[in-house]
Amino acid sequence: MCLGIPGRIVEVWDESGTRMAHVAFPGETRKVCLAYLPDLGVDDYTMVHAGFALTRLDKESALLTLDVMREYELIDDTVTGCDTMTCCSGRTEGAR
């Protein structure tokens, strides 16, 4: 079973006719295919599996999910120095 982690789209482009994105997750940014959800854009939130965006999330649900995952120590974004509030939400550090 895989653990889906919400991420925020920070860049979108076309690559050989396929819509692609960079998605910020706690501690890292990954290249993701938007073929299944081509209408996603910058600042949208998504759940990704095997490199494909599969679900659109609203901002509130994404941030709540990240907070719960952090609370249960399923993610630790302090290791890389990434503060999810800046990496994944676009808000300034410490803002809630």
Side-chain angles (χ1 to χ4, degrees), residues 18 20 24 34 39 43 53 74 81 83 86 95:
T18 302
M20 303 294 293
L34 300 181
D39 61 324
D43 289 331
L74 297 172
D83 174 4
T86 56

Side-chain angles (χ1 to χ4, degrees), residues 9 12 18-21 23 32-41 53:
I9 297 174
V12 175
T18 302
R19 197 157 159 86
M20 303 294 293
V23 179
V32 171
C33 180
L34 300 181
Y36 299 130
L37 297 168
D39 61 324
L40 288 176

Side-chain angles (χ1 to χ4, degrees), residues 26-27 75-83:
I75 58 173
D76 181 9
D77 46 16
T78 61
V79 173
T80 60
C82 170
D83 174 4

